[in-house]
C-alpha cells in the first residue's frame, strides 16, 4: 500500500510540473530562510551556556540616578565580591575580573602585542568552565605574579616547548609572571574573551576598600533552584552599610539626603545567561546582542515558512478540481477517507522532503552572505551540531504534515456522486479561504517592506543629522602611546605636512570606543546639590580638530596659564547647573574619593554634540585641559589619503615603536556604532524581498490556475468583442483587491511595530505617509506584473482553440 501511495504521489507531481515546481521552490526558500535564521537565533541564545554552573551564576551590576541622569555599569567596587560572600550564606562563591588591556609581552628578544589580558581571582576557574590543557585550575592563580594563557598563545610564545614554569615579562611592569596553566580557547559564544588571565593578587587596586571606584566585574554562584531576586532584595542594606559612610565622607551628604534629592544608587544582579542579550550598559566586556533582534529574526523565520506553507495550501486546494474525479472513482472503488488523507499527506511530505534537499543547497550557498550580513561565523557542519540532521528531517516532516493537512482533508472530503456527475465546484468557502491566505501573504510582505523603509530612513537620518562635530577627514591614531617620549616629536612632524590641518592628543572620542570618566560637580561651591557629568581630558586643539562650535566664551589657550584650572562645559551641563545663558566665569567644585576639592572656572560653553549614540540623549559634559592619553586625532585636508597614510607610516617607523602603525577614521567609527541597526536593515531588506518573491510564486500559480479555469469564458468574451485590455483587467482585478486589502491591514500594524522600534532612539525620524504609499505601490506593481504575465497569455489565446470542444 505504501509503495502504491508513493507511485501515485510521484506520478501526480510529474504530471503537474508547473504547480509542483512552484510549491517546491517556494517551500525551499521558506525552509532555507528558516534554517539560516534558526542557526543565528540558536547561536545568540546559547551564549555562556557552556559553563557547568551557568544557571546559578549571576553578575553584580551598578545602577543609579543622579540629577535625572542614568548610571548603568556592568562593573562594581573592589570589595563587593568579598563583602557579599561574607554577609550572605546563599553566596557560595564570588569571583572577579578586571580588564588589563593589551600589554606588550616581552619574551627574550621577542615582543608580542595584541593579546587581551585580564586579572582574575584565584577561584575564577572553579566558577567558570574553562578546561585546562596543562596545569591545575584550582591553584593556577593563587600566587601573585602567575598567569594562565590560552593554548593558542602557548604555541605562539613557546612553540612545542612545555610553557608551564616559563616566565613572561610585560613592558613597563617590573614583575615577571610565571605561566602556571594553559587553557582551551574560550568559545565564541562567551561574553568575555581573554588570551591571558593574571592573578588578581598581582593587582594592587584589587585590595582597595573603596566603594567609590569600580572597574571590577563581579560574579556570584548561588545554590541550585535559588531565586536570585531574593538576594537582590537584600542588597540595599549592603549599599547603606558600606557605601553610605564613604559617600558622606567624599561628597558631604548622607545616602538618605542623596536619595531625598531624587537620586539613587544601588547594586543589582544579572543572570549570566542574560548578559549577552539583556544588557544596556555603556561599557561591557564584549559586544553584546539585543533580545529584540532575536525576536525580530525569529519572527521573520516563521513568516517565511508561513508564506511558503500558505502557497502550498493555496495551490493544492485551487487545483482540487483536477483531482476530483480521481477521488470520486477511488471512493466508489472502496477507498476510505483516511486512506485518501494518507495518500495526500504522503504527497505533501514527498514534496516537502524534495524542497528540504533544495533548501539545504540554498542554505549552503547563502551561508557566506548571511554570515556577512549577521556578523557571525555560523556553520552547517553536522559534526558541529550533532542534532542538526535529525532536527532538519523532523522539521521537514512537520512542515509537510502541517502544510498538507488541510488540502488532504479537503480533497478527501469530496462526495463521489457529485464529482462523477461533473457537478464539482470549489465552493465559496474554498475560494474565500484562498483569498484570505493571499491577503495574509501580502499583509506580511507589505509589513516587512514598510519596516525596511523606516529602518533605512532612520539610518539615513543618523548619517545626515548635524552631530555638533565634523566626523569627515578625521584620522585616529590609537597607539600613539607606543611612541613614548617621541609623541611630541611625531606630532610636530605631522604639523609640518601641508596635508595635515591640525593635531590633537586625547583619548576621548565622540564616536566608537573612548575613554570615559564620571565627574560629580557642585555649582558655585554648593555642597547639597550636584550634577553628574562626563569628564573629557582634552588639549587646546581638540575643539578645532573636531570642528566643534562655541556657544559662549572661548576655547582653551596655551597663552593663559590659568586654563589649567578652567573648564569648558556643554549646553546641557549649563542647563542642568542652572546657568543657561550665564555660565561664563561661574565655578564648579569636584570632590575626589579622598575628600579633596578641586575648583574650576568656566571659560566657555561648547554647543551640544553627540558623543553617545542616538539611542541616548546628550548628557552633561565637562572638558578640562589635560595631557594626551596616548591617542592622536589628526584633521587632514587632502584627497590623497593613501599617500598621506604611507607618509605617516614611514614617520612612525622611524621611531621604531613596539606597536605597528594602525589607524581608523572617525566616520568609520561612527558607522560602526550603528552596526546592529545596519544589519537589521539589510536582513529585513533581503527577507522582505524573499517574502514578496515567494508570495508572487503563489500568486503566479493561482493566476495560472484561474486562467485555465476560465479559458472557455475568455473565449466567449473574445468572440463577443472583448478587448485584450478588458480581459487582462478582468483576470487581474480580483487579485489586486486582495493586495489592497493587505495594504490596509498592514499599514497600522507596521506603524505600531516601527513606532515601538523607534522608541529606542532618543533622536528619531518621523514616520511619514509616503513610506506606506511606497510599499503599497511596490507590492501592487510586483503583484500586477506577476498576474499580467498569465492574464495577457490567456487574453491572447485564440478563442477557436478554447471553444473547440463545445
Amino acid at each position: 500500500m505504501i509503495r502504491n501511495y508513493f507511485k501515485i504521489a510521484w506520478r501526480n507531481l510529474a504530471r503537474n510540473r508547473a504547480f509542483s515546481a512552484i510549491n517546491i521552490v517556494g517551500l525551499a526558500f521558506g525552509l532555507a530562510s528558516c534554517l539560516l535564521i534558526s542557526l543565528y537565533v540558536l547561536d545568540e541564545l546559547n551564549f555562556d551556556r557552556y559553563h557547568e554552573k551557568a544557571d546559578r551564576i549571576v553578575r553584580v551590576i551598578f545602577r543609579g540616578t543622579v540629577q535625572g541622569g542614568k548610571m548603568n555599569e556592568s562593573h562594581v567596587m573592589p570589595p563587593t565580591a568579598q563583602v557579599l560572600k561574607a554577609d550572605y550564606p546563599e553566596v557560595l562563591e564570588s569571583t572577579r575580573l578586571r580588564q588589563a588591556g593589551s600589554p606588550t609581552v616581552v619574551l627574550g628578544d621577542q615582543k608580542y602585542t595584541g593579546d587581551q589580558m585580564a586579572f582574575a581571582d584565584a577561584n575564577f576557574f572553579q566558577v567558570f568552565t574553562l578546561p585546562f590543557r596543562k596545569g591545575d585550575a584550582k591553584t593556577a592563580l593563587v600566587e601573585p605574579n602567575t598567569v594562565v594563557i590560552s593554548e593558542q598563545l602557548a604555541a605562539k610564545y613557546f612553540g612545542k616547548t612545555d610553557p608551564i614554569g616559563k616566565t613572561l615579562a610585560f613592558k613597563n611592569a617590573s614583575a615577571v609572571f610565571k605561566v602556571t596553566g594553559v587553557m582551551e580557547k574560550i568559545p565564541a559564544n562567551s561574553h568575555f574573551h581573554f588570551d591571558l588571565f593574571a592573578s588578581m593578587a598581582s593587582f594592587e587596586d584589587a585590595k582597595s576598600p573603596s566603594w567609590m571606584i569600580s572597574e571590577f566585574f563581579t560574579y556570584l554562584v548561588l545554590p541550585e533552584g535559588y531565586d536570585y531576586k531574593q538576594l537582590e532584595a537584600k542588597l540595599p542594606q549592603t549599599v547603606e552599610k558600606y557605601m553610605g559612610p564613604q559617600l558622606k565622607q567624599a561628597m558631604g551628604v548622607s545616602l538618605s539626603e542623596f536619595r531625598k534629592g531624587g537620586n539613587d544608587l544601588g547594586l543589582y544582579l544579572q543572570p549570566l545567561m542574560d548578559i549577552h542579550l539583556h544588557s544596556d550598559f555603556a561599557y561591557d566586556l564584549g559586544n553584546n546582542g539585543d533580545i529584540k533582534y532575536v525576536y525580530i529574526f525569529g519572527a521573520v523565520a516563521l513568516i517565511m515558512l508561513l508564506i511558503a506553507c500558505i502557497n502550498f495550501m493555496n495551490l493544492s486546494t485551487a487545483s482540487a478540481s483536477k483531482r476530483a474525479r480521481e477521488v470520486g472513482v477511488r471512493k466508489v472503488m472502496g477507498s476510505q477517507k483516511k486512506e485518501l488523507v494518507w495518500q495526500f499527506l504522503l504527497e505533501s511530505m514527498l514534496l516537502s522532503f524534495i524542497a528540504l534537499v533544495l533548501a539545504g543547497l540554498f542554505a549552503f550557498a547563502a551561508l557566506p552572505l548571511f554570515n556577512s550580513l549577521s556578523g557571525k561565523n555560523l556553520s552547517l557542519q553536522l559534526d558541529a551540531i550533532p542534532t542538526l540532521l535529525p532536527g532538519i528531517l523532523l522539521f521537514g516532516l512537520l512542515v509537510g504534515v502541517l502544510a498538507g493537512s488541510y488540502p488532504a482533508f479537503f480533497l478527501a472530503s469530496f462526495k463521489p456522486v457529485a464529482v462523477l456527475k461533473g457537478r464539482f465546484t470549489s465552493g465559496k468557502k474554498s475560494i474565500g479561504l484562498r483569498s484570505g491566505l493571499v491577503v495574509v501573504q501580502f499583509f506580511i510582505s507589505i509589513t516587512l517592506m514598510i519596516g525596511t523603509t523606516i529602518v533605512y530612513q532612520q539610518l539615513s537620518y543618523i548619517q545626515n543629522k548635524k552631530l555638533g562635530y565634523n566626523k569627515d577627514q578625521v584620522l585616529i591614531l590609537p597607539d600613539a602611546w607606543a611612541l613614548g617620549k617621541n609623541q611630541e616629536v611625531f606630532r610636530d612632524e605631522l604639523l609640518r605636512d601641508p596635508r595635515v590641518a591640525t593635531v590633537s592628543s586625547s583619548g576621548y572620542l565622540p564616536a566608537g570606543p573612548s575613554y570615559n570618566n564620571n565627574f560629580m560637580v557642585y555649582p558655585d561651591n554648593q555642597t547639597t546639590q550636584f550634577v553628574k557629568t562626563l569628564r573629557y581630558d582634552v588639549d587646546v586643539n581638540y575643539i578645532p580638530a573636531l570642528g566643534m562650535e562655541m556657544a559662549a566664551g572661548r576655547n582653551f589657550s596655551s597663552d593663559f596659564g590659568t586654563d589649567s584650572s578652567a573648564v569648558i562645559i556643554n549646553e546641557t551641563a549649563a542647563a542642568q547647573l542652572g546657568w543657561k545663558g550665564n555660565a561664563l566665569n561661574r565655578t564648579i567644585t569636584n570632590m575626589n574619593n579622598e575628600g579633596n576639592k578641586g575648583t574650576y572656572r568656566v571659560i566657555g560653553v561648547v554647543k551640544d554634540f553627540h558623543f553617545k549614540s542616538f539611542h541616548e540623549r546628550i548628557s552633561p559634559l565637562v572638558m578640562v585641559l589635560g595631557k594626551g592619553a596616548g591617542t592622536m586625532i589628526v584633521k587632514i585636508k587632502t584627497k590623497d589619503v593613501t599617500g598621506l597614510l604611507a607618509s605617516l607610516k614611514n614617520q612612525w617607523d622611524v621611531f621604531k615603536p613596539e606597536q605597528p602603525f594602525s589607524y581608523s577614521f572617525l566616520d568609520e567609527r561612527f558607522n560602526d556604532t550603528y552596526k546592529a541597526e545596519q544589519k537589521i536593515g539589510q536582513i529585513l531588506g533581503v527577507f522582505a524581498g524573499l517574502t514578496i518573491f515567494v508570495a508572487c510564486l503563489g500568486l503566479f500559480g493561482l493566476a495560472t490556475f484561474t486562467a485555465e479555469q476560465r479559458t472557455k469564458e475568455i473565449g466567449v468574451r473574445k468572440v463577443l468583442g472583448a478587448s485584450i485590455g478588458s480581459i487582462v483587467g478582468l483576470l487581474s482585478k480580483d487579485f489586486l483587491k486582495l493586495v489592497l486589502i493587505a495594504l490596509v491591514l498592514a499599514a497600522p500594524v507596521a506603524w505600531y511595530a516601527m513606532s515601538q522600534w523607534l522608541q529606542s532612539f532618543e533622536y528619531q525620524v518621523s514616520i511619514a505617509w509616503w513610506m506606506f504609499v511606497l510599499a503599497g505601490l511596490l507590492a501592487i506593481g510586483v503583484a500586477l506584473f506577476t498576474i499580467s504575465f498569465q492574464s495577457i497569455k490567456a487574453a491572447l489565446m485564440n478563442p477557436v482553440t478554447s471553444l473547440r470542444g463545445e
Side-chain angles (χ1 to χ4, degrees), residues 76-113:
V76 293
M77 305 77 193
T80 306
Q82 182 182 353
V83 164
L84 296 183
K85 176 73 165 60
D87 288 3
Y88 302 107
E90 56 265 53
V91 178
L92 305 181
E93 292 285 351
S94 64
T95 194
R96 297 173 299 171
L97 265 182
R98 205 277 189 184
Q99 284 183 298
S102 178
T104 300
V105 177
V106 182
L107 192 62
D109 295 333
Q110 297 293 321
K111 294 177 181 178
Y112 302 92
T113 60

Side-chain angles (χ1 to χ4, degrees), residues 413-473:
S413 64
F414 291 161
K415 298 187 184 303
V417 175
V419 296
L420 292 176
K421 285 183 177 181
R423 292 201 297 257
F424 168 78
T425 57
S426 295
K428 290 184 178 180
K429 183 184 286 188
S430 177
I431 294 171
L433 176 66
R434 289 201 300 275
S435 298
L437 293 176
V438 170
V439 169
V440 170
Q441 283 184 309
F442 277 90
F443 163 79
I444 292 168
S445 300
I446 293 170
T447 301
L448 283 177
M449 284 194 291
I450 294 171
T452 303
T453 303
I454 293 172
V455 169
Y456 275 103
Q457 282 299 307
Q458 176 66 17
L459 291 175
S460 176
Y461 172 79
I462 290 170
Q463 288 292 333
N464 297 312
K465 188 180 186 302
K466 289 185 177 180
L467 302 173
Y469 66 92
N470 188 352
K471 66 180 186 299
D472 298 323
Q473 288 206 303

Side-chain angles (χ1 to χ4, degrees), residues 33-34 37-38 40-41 291-305 680:
S33 302
C34 198
I37 295 177
S38 296
Y40 173 88
V41 170
I291 189 64
K292 69 172 177 285
Y293 292 135
V294 172
Y295 291 147
I296 290 172
F297 292 154
V300 168
L302 292 176
I303 283 167
M304 284 297 300
L305 190 60
I680 193 71

Side-chain angles (χ1 to χ4, degrees), residues 9 148 155 196 266 395 465 478 498 511 589 600 637 640 725 739 750 777:
V148 173
L196 307 92
F395 183 58
K465 188 180 186 302
T589 303
Y600 303 85
K637 52 179 181 180
D640 181 24
V739 177
L777 289 176

